[in-house]
Amino acid sequence: MGIEERLQRLEDDREIRDLKARYLRACDSKDPETVRDCLLPDGAMIAYDGFPAFNNRDDFVAIYAQMGCAPGIYDIHHGANGVIAFESSNRATGQWSLFFHNINLAGRTLTQMGVEYDDIYVKQDGRWWIAETRSRRLSCLVHTVDDAGQSNVVVMGDPPAQFGEA
């Protein structure tokens, strides 16, 4: 691989990392339009453990806006340990570790999860998109908080099916 190709590979790697960060930050800032703009316009696949799979970005974003953007919901998606592998000049895969933290005021719960993402990225129209993103939950910690502010652990270890991650 020549110097120009190597430089392009480095630039593409950076763009993909920035894309994933933009997606995670948009989830936290309750910004459905930026979430939508990170996902491939035609045929994005979103399959997060604990949620139904989506084969287009608009259906996913509608559910995200309903659940993740509700008043009293506060999320932190902290992605790390990204590994990007290029299959070609316009297709790459990514693996990410995620620490997810959620405060739900209405439900009076605090949820923390360890999650692994497996993504596929494609370059179309001069930019990178998330074409496919899948997650699997590795661990879960859920606290309920009573009226006095005391927390009680209700889940520790394997996540139950009703607790999701966006």
Side-chain angles (χ1 to χ4, degrees):
M1 186 182 309
I3 189 75
E4 288 179 11
E5 291 140 333
R6 290 172 49 206
L7 179 58
Q8 185 62 55
R9 180 68 45 99
L10 287 171
E11 289 175 352
D12 289 337
D13 184 273
R14 179 79 256 166
E15 286 179 35
I16 290 169
R17 290 175 189 282
D18 289 349
L19 171 66
K20 186 66 173 188
R22 187 164 47 103
Y23 171 81
L24 295 173
R25 292 174 66 86
C27 289
D28 292 344
S29 63
K30 302 179 188 306
D31 182 353
E33 290 310 310
T34 298
V35 169
R36 177 182 282 108
D37 187 56
C38 293
L39 300 168
L40 186 67
D42 297 318
M45 171 58 77
I46 302 99
Y48 293 148
D49 198 2
F51 286 94
F54 298 89
N55 62 7
N56 70 79
R57 68 184 188 171
D58 291 331
D59 289 347
F60 170 74
V61 170
I63 295 297
Y64 158 73
Q66 177 185 356
M67 294 177 68
C69 298
I73 299 292
Y74 302 96
D75 292 334
I76 297 172
H77 294 75
H78 183 98
N81 306 327
V83 177
I84 307 298
F86 287 89
E87 296 176 351
S88 69
S89 62
N90 60 2
R91 185 175 170 92
T93 61
Q95 294 177 307
W96 300 89
S97 300
L98 179 82
F99 173 74
F100 175 73
H101 180 77
N102 168 269
I103 300 171
N104 181 329
L105 295 180
R108 301 188 64 84
T109 59
L110 307 171
T111 302
Q112 297 178 347
M113 283 191 258
V115 178
E116 286 292 317
Y117 278 109
D118 291 303
D119 294 345
I120 296 174
Y121 308 99
V122 297
K123 190 173 192 178
Q124 287 183 359
D125 302 322
R127 61 164 282 195
W128 286 94
W129 301 89
I130 299 171
E132 185 174 316
T133 180
R134 297 177 180 276
S135 75
R136 64 188 179 286
R137 296 171 296 180
L138 303 178
S139 65
C140 187
L141 179 63
V142 180
H143 296 252
T144 57
V145 180
D146 66 22
D147 290 337
Q150 297 298 310
S151 71
N152 181 49
V153 174
V154 294
V155 175
M156 188 166 66
D158 291 333
Q162 74 267 24
F163 290 99
E165 180 275 320

